[in-house]
Amino acid sequence: MYRRKVTGFVKSFFYRERSSVFLRKVPATLNIDFNLKHTSSRFLCIGSYDTKPDLIDKTQESCSFTYRTHTCGELRPSNKGEKVILCGWVQFIRLSKFLLLRDSYGLTQCTINDSNVSVTDIPLETIVKIYGTVVPRPENTSNPNMKTGEIEVSIENIEILNHVEKLPFNLREYQKPKEQLRLQHRYIDLRFPEMQYNLRQRSLMLHNMRRFLIERHNFCEVETPTLFCRTPGGAREFIVPTHHSGLFYSLVQSPQQFKQMLMSGGVDRYFQVARCYRDESTRPDRQPEFTQLDIELSFTTLDGILAMIENLLHDTFIKDLPKPPFHRMTYKEAIENYGSDKPNVTYDLRLKNISYLFNENHTVYAIPFSNKLGKLTAKYKEKVKELQKKYSVKVVLDEYLMKEFGNEVTSKIKNVIGVENAGILAVGEEENVCLCLGEIRQFLAPLLESKQLLHVDNTMKPLWVVDFPLFIKGENGLETCHHPFTAPHPDDVHLLDTDPENVRSLAYDLVLNGNEVGGGSIRIHNARLQEKILKILKIDSSKLSHFLDALRSGCPPHGGIALGIDRLVSIACNAESIRDVIAFPKSHDGKDPLSGAPNVISEDDRKYYHLK
Amino acid sequence: MYRRKVTGFVKSFFYRERSSVFLRKVPATLNIDFNLKHTSSRFLCIGSYDTKPDLIDKTQESCSFTYRTHTCGELRPSNKGEKVILCGWVQFIRLSKFLLLRDSYGLTQCTINDSNVSVTDIPLETIVKIYGTVVPRPENTSNPNMKTGEIEVSIENIEILNHVEKLPFNLREYQKPKEQLRLQHRYIDLRFPEMQYNLRQRSLMLHNMRRFLIERHNFCEVETPTLFCRTPGGAREFIVPTHHSGLFYSLVQSPQQFKQMLMSGGVDRYFQVARCYRDESTRPDRQPEFTQLDIELSFTTLDGILAMIENLLHDTFIKDLPKPPFHRMTYKEAIENYGSDKPNVTYDLRLKNISYLFNENHTVYAIPFSNKLGKLTAKYKEKVKELQKKYSVKVVLDEYLMKEFGNEVTSKIKNVIGVENAGILAVGEEENVCLCLGEIRQFLAPLLESKQLLHVDNTMKPLWVVDFPLFIKGENGLETCHHPFTAPHPDDVHLLDTDPENVRSLAYDLVLNGNEVGGGSIRIHNARLQEKILKILKIDSSKLSHFLDALRSGCPPHGGIALGIDRLVSIACNAESIRDVIAFPKSHDGKDPLSGAPNVISEDDRKYYHLK
């Protein structure tokens, strides 16, 4: 195994005989893709064909149970003289003499030396089977950019296995179609190396997580139902009509109740790669179904769960993570310093509480940044206006400080934020002030970075946010901040009756470079405490009687977590969207671009499900 | 690793201090459970706590991330003198002096020697945490039936972690409640060793399958959507309303279309442990959602797929399977010899075509069996009557042969079936005659075996049934025998227009001791052939345009299979029902005994989903 570091811009490739390398605009962070990492689990390595090191461990068989002898990424000078059978897609034909054959593992140049063999009329992407002999390439013609660049296969026979009738777009990396067209013809889009790479990584990452949990730590993977009853107090759940008139299942939004019942049932080390459903089709970048790594553990503590996840990720995540323990931050610290409960700590740019500079009873925070940035453009000023409205706070930009606060106070402010800094201030209710500046922080950072006025450390910076409030104020009284089964912090239980808003919970979120990638909590195991919390939340406990019975009948203390696999894999693969790590994602509004689902149903179905 | 063979009746146990062993009526095949098998995958071993060898590999950590130091199945004389912390359920308390503590890994006897510690008022199943010291048991009091029977833990402190308020039944193996009550309180039922064992086995078997596919054969696990469009020509699919009035998803009955599109997309070695849905709630022993191991492979043949599954099962199935290749039988042979397309070949008892003894144009088959069985009882005669009606054939029992056929023909029949045999005959249309006798064969076998008149070999006898017909006659013309994407047998393609009923397919079923445990086929990869088949089946191809486009745009030849995991695991675990290997199964008619789902939905949901 080796490590190749590519710096500067990321290279992109297109498939031709000479695999020329083009520079292309791609996100700068992509360069990390070219690193190869060999962790304790031997199947964790990064790569994609031809341009990236092999994904495939050499001890694995990629040709077993098939009629090919080798993949298109496999042949080397050491195979010289071997009779081989290759199968794949016709990538390119040049001068009726060279045929570039592609499969998921690479490209192999095949040459026509026999006058009985003709490739002139074969359209690109035709599926062929090639019988041939491995020969070294003529001197000075080997291609160092191709894994198989030192050999070619002299074709003895070529068999067309399937024809191509129709191609909505070409498989050219430099002319990739728009996402909507890609999703509509996903079966072609999946042939691009990025998608091949992403799906392989997803498979390997989940497999390594399973190995960690089952083989090292004796967890038991249990499949729980997805057709269940509605969870009170959660997100909107899809419903599924049955042939019993008026009766519906709900598609689970998570296996929460089941995993807690498993704890009561003595399955004390549970996990599941669980499919979950939420009807949030109108929210962008949300999928109606998604995958989470769902874990629950009996006889554990908050520290136990956190250590488990730290070790799990450290051993299975593709990118380098710091050694456990990961940094922890309270919810309060996160809000006050970064204006977010999922702060991006790859750069500093912290908020500063400067309320003490003012006589009034207001809360004032400032976000100081280099004054070399200059004034915000109209676009960003517009954004600031929107945020003011969203959070009902007053935002004061650096250039208006004097006008707003006068000489004396402004000079105090400048003193605090530093003379080389500009500052944006927000005035209003504390949490809103912070959240507003948190959003401003998020658009300031790239602006500052682009002018080299802010250091952004793009390594992985996992962070636990803890000590969340148990409740938040909602329209109809208190609502749960995490979910109704989260345990209150033992130091605050006495406040449940008198001051519930100040009760902290034993919930925790895992944040990775500004993305929430997981969350969980120590659960309530005592039925009476659970009933009390349900009462505070005005949730009808009769709808959870099965669950309360499970707590009543001998249930160990327990806690758990769920990791969002789509997001985690997309970070690992530097994908721009979670759709790039899902084989067949839905597009906006829950529509399936391939089949057009959701669809009209038949009259028969309407009758059967009593939907007249 | 060791192998312990238990013969005779299976023993069952109940948890008491002395773990006395009781004989109990259980299926005779259960004895195989006590074998320990160590395959190439080191995590495959059978066992359950105290009575069965350890499931847990000693290198695995069962206490990591928890506050216990050991499990209740772990302590041995070598731990003498160690300070330990155990957590678990109070299984039994005797004489206020002995407390038997249980967790999922075993039982440990804890003793009270300190007058400050009292256990008198602790109800059974209370969750406790015990601090103590490991001491050897006094001479002559060790219990060889308990893994921890040579030690006990002298309690220094006992902490109650959770109280028990309510127990609908006791955890006594010898007074197990009826299934309905067990399912209703599954969180208690799961504590029984059988359920612990079954869930562990399921987890390990699936993990080993993943290891075989990913690590050895470079497969890629891909998660495909469950919210999709309706598959034409399949089973009834659940529908899921959306907030778009009149538009519905269907819950997939299998990932068939997706996996074929993955083949077109170059994901040439795909598998998935897939959740599938069928609305067959009115059929007994069917679950509305179930799990299949779904595999698809490009550039392969029927032999390739069969070899893959043979190797997969041979290496990962818990019970001994014969070395590959497994026996193969054509559909025709199966019907003619056993009267079933999933014949149980653990016993012989074959059908015999004796049509040639008759002048008429009838088809006559006989099933010969030892005449020592005597006449069928009224119960079975009633059953025969039902079968006659079901298959529209005439069945003639041995005692009526003379009356029905006269002296001469009867003596010819006796000649053929053997003088020591009786025979049951069926007359009518060939396939119906065979299927009818096939069902009779199934109830004759246990009758004969119980009187030692038939040898049943209860080892695992996997069998491939191949050469299925491509079509079957349905009410409205030809229907597919497997699914519409199955390839016709290449030798019969020329019959598609002229004699479609005699076209065989490239489908295959895997049968294990009379149970269909998997099925698949080589698929159609040619869009024109696929269109032709859809036309014959009168399926509107416009509903599959995305799928046909995938075939048209460069799709490799491919084939695959799906294994029914619920059934496979239930055979591996000798479970009586698939419900015993599912953590939270539905009971009859798709009802969830725990939560009562399906339920009435809210007015808000009705409005949102336009279900007024």
Side-chain angles (χ1 to χ4, degrees), chain A residues 326-337:
Chain A
F326 296 167
H327 188 60
R328 288 190 203 177
M329 192 182 281
T330 65
Y331 173 81
K332 196 161 176 280
E333 286 168 342
I335 297 294
E336 288 179 1
N337 287 295

Side-chain angles (χ1 to χ4, degrees), chain B residues 26 58 67 82 114 123 132 236 272 348 356 482 504 519 545:
Chain B
V26 276
K58 290 302 171 200
Y67 42 72
E82 283 180 33
D114 185 334
R236 185 177 291 277
Q272 181 181 194
D348 206 34
Y356 65 93
H482 187 58
R504 289 165 301 164
S545 59

Side-chain angles (χ1 to χ4, degrees), chain A residues 488-515:
Chain A
H489 196 294
D491 295 349
D492 298 349
V493 171
H494 66 283
L495 299 175
L496 273 175
D497 293 314
T498 53
D499 187 12
E501 279 180 57
N502 275 318
V503 174
R504 288 164 302 162
S505 74
L506 291 180
Y508 30 81
D509 272 1
L510 181 60
V511 178
L512 196 51
N513 295 17
N515 300 286

Side-chain angles (χ1 to χ4, degrees), chain B residues 282-335:
Chain B
T282 49
R283 293 174 65 176
D285 210 29
R286 293 280 178 134
Q287 292 289 317
E289 53 188 313
F290 56 96
T291 304
Q292 65 186 38
L293 176 65
D294 195 54
I295 311 182
E296 198 82 8
L297 198 57
S298 287
F299 307 117
T300 190
T301 59
L302 184 143
D303 288 334
I305 302 278
L306 269 47
M308 172 186 63
I309 294 300
E310 287 164 355
N311 280 283
L312 170 79
L313 284 179
H314 186 264
D315 286 7
T316 63
F317 199 62
I318 301 157
K319 296 184 173 177
D320 280 321
L321 290 176
K323 276 220 168 69
F326 297 166
H327 188 60
R328 288 191 204 179
M329 191 182 282
T330 65
Y331 174 81
K332 197 162 176 281
E333 287 167 342
I335 297 293

Side-chain angles (χ1 to χ4, degrees), chain B residues 406-419:
Chain B
N407 239 338
E408 194 188 341
V409 174
T410 301
S411 103
K412 275 190 205 168
I413 295 169
K414 285 284 177 188
N415 240 347
V416 171
I417 63 174
V419 283

Side-chain angles (χ1 to χ4, degrees), chain B residues 40-107:
Chain B
S40 50
S41 308
R42 75 188 172 104
F43 296 96
L44 252 191
C45 49
I46 304 183
S48 163
Y49 58 80
D50 261 41
T51 60
K52 294 167 187 169
D54 261 339
L55 254 190
I56 313 314
D57 190 293
K58 290 302 171 200
T59 63
Q60 291 172 287
E61 295 176 43
S62 299
C63 297
S64 48
F65 319 123
T66 70
Y67 42 72
R68 66 187 173 207
T69 60
H70 295 79
T71 69
C72 293
E74 199 176 346
L75 295 171
R76 299 288 181 274
S78 60
N79 298 99
K80 182 185 158 186
E82 283 180 33
K83 295 266 177 197
V84 297
I85 300 172
L86 301 181
C87 296
W89 287 255
V90 174
Q91 174 75 20
F92 198 73
I93 293 175
R94 191 165 58 98
L95 304 172
S96 298
K97 161 111 178 113
F98 300 102
L99 185 154
L100 197 62
L101 190 68
R102 189 194 75 232
D103 67 12
S104 313
Y105 310 86
L107 294 161

